[in-house]
Amino acid sequence: MIKPSSRTARFRLGATALAALTLFGTAACGATAHDTAPRAAAVAAADQIRPGVVERDDLRAVFDAAGVHGSFALLDVKTRSTTVVDRRLAETPLVPASSFKVPHALVALETGVVKSPDEVIPWDGTPQPFPEWEHDMTMREAVRISNAAAFQVIARRVGLQREGQWLHRLGYGNRRTGTVVDRFWLDGPLKISAVEQTRFLERLAAERLPASRANQRTVRDIIKQEEKDGYTLYAKSGWQNAPNPGTGWWVGWVDRGGRVTTFALNIDILKDGDAGKRATVARELLQRLNVLPDA
């Protein structure tokens, strides 16, 4: 996770169901027919199941203790129950920023613009807000350090048309790219809510996205954070408008003894140090909800 740089400025605060999926051929998207997960129509049918919603606004105390404002959504895949903290905000679509690297890495592999997670993506030479981004690196490393510049290179390779096709195919957020191919997930118009994030991640965790299972497994491996004490944690951060004020994300899932729980947290990043609270707050909530064991 990248910490705010010393150049961080002082700041200003800067349906869920799949619809009309684009049913174009597998070959056009880079997946092979024999290794492709169940088609989008079946996925859409599954997503029509409406889980019960449990509101836990008592857990706002976790955000308050950290000095941040935000929301949290959690989906128990087995029971289909969704738990939310601040339901209104958890259902509000927001710019995904680098949490979009999860589907974006899959799109890169499916379209063939990146052959493997260890292919080196060249730095295009443009100045970046974080010096860690200013060199060539593999896609795996770009996900790990959340290098937006590397994925801007990837987006230009994919092209606006295919980016839009894959947003529809994956049913991701509002599926909007606008006209700028290398900024739509950083500035909008692409948006997704915390609740929608949990439903997308449920399908990736189960390898049920309309993409090759091999590539889905690769993306899962890239975002795996830890495996211990009987659980495996997968997660990806995001920071819209980094390194300035914006929306911070921490999204992923926990597989604990075969029981999968997906989650998505967003917070307002307003000052130095807030970005580092994304994972801390999310972990605390996951522990209080008995998804992760106590530290």
Side-chain angles (χ1 to χ4, degrees):
M1 180 181 300
I2 298 176
K3 297 181 179 179
S5 74
S6 60
R7 287 179 281 177
T8 302
R10 292 294 175 185
F11 313 140
R12 59 170 183 79
L13 176 61
T16 58
L18 300 179
L21 289 170
T22 303
L23 300 178
F24 50 87
T26 303
C29 301
T32 57
H34 70 278
D35 190 29
T36 300
R39 294 294 85 194
V43 172
D47 280 359
Q48 294 300 322
I49 300 171
R50 293 296 187 187
V53 177
V54 178
E55 298 187 45
R56 289 292 306 273
D57 283 350
D58 58 301
L59 293 175
R60 291 191 192 202
V62 177
F63 292 88
D64 294 341
V68 295
H69 173 259
S71 72
F72 185 75
L74 181 145
L75 174 62
D76 185 323
V77 171
K78 182 176 181 179
T79 67
R80 306 299 301 159
S81 175
T82 297
T83 301
V84 293
V85 182
D86 193 333
R87 182 171 183 172
R88 181 196 62 78
L89 182 55
E91 294 178 340
T92 299
L94 302 169
V95 174
S98 283
S99 68
F100 182 63
K101 283 186 174 65
V102 178
H104 217 177
L106 182 61
V107 170
L109 294 169
E110 285 289 300
T111 57
V113 302
V114 176
K115 303 304 181 185
S116 84
D118 299 309
E119 179 180 333
V120 174
I121 310 301
W123 172 42
D124 64 7
T126 58
Q128 297 299 319
F130 303 102
E132 299 95 324
W133 295 359
E134 294 181 344
H135 65 88
D136 301 349
M137 67 181 65
T138 66
M139 186 173 74
R140 187 187 302 275
E141 184 182 4
V143 172
R144 183 179 61 80
I145 72 167
S146 213
N147 182 351
F151 273 82
Q152 288 179 293
V153 172
I154 290 171
R156 292 192 287 270
R157 292 180 182 179
V158 174
L160 198 62
Q161 181 178 359
R162 286 194 295 180
E163 291 279 12
Q165 289 172 337
W166 272 97
L167 288 177
H168 280 82
R169 187 173 179 83
L170 298 175
Y172 187 88
N174 63 6
R175 301 175 293 280
R176 295 178 59 193
T177 61
T179 60
V180 183
V181 70
D182 58 2
R183 299 291 306 180
F184 65 88
W185 71 95
L186 299 170
D187 306 324
L190 182 62
K191 291 185 178 181
I192 190 169
S193 71
V195 170
E196 289 171 323
Q197 291 260 29
T198 65
R199 293 173 182 171
F200 169 78
L201 292 164
E202 173 197 4
R203 289 182 282 136
L204 176 59
E207 299 176 10
R208 289 196 298 110
L209 291 171
S212 78
R213 289 188 173 93
N215 286 337
Q216 290 181 78
R217 286 192 292 269
T218 295
V219 173
R220 285 160 48 104
D221 178 67
I222 291 173
I223 65 171
K224 183 160 70 174
Q225 299 290 311
E226 60 195 40
E227 185 172 6
K228 62 181 182 180
D229 300 332
Y231 74 88
T232 307
L233 171 65
Y234 303 83
K236 181 68 192 76
S237 62
W239 181 357
Q240 176 260 337
N241 203 35
N244 298 312
T247 300
W249 290 95
W250 210 61
V251 309
W253 70 90
V254 176
D255 186 334
R256 190 174 183 184
R259 184 157 189 166
V260 174
T261 308
T262 63
F263 65 87
L265 169 133
N266 57 56
I267 64 171
D268 294 335
I269 295 177
L270 301 177
K271 60 184 184 298
D272 289 349
D274 282 351
K277 297 174 183 178
R278 293 167 293 180
T280 302
V281 171
R283 284 176 179 273
E284 175 69 17
L285 290 166
L286 291 169
Q287 288 168 1
R288 293 205 185 193
L289 291 165
N290 299 314
V291 175
L292 285 180
D294 292 336

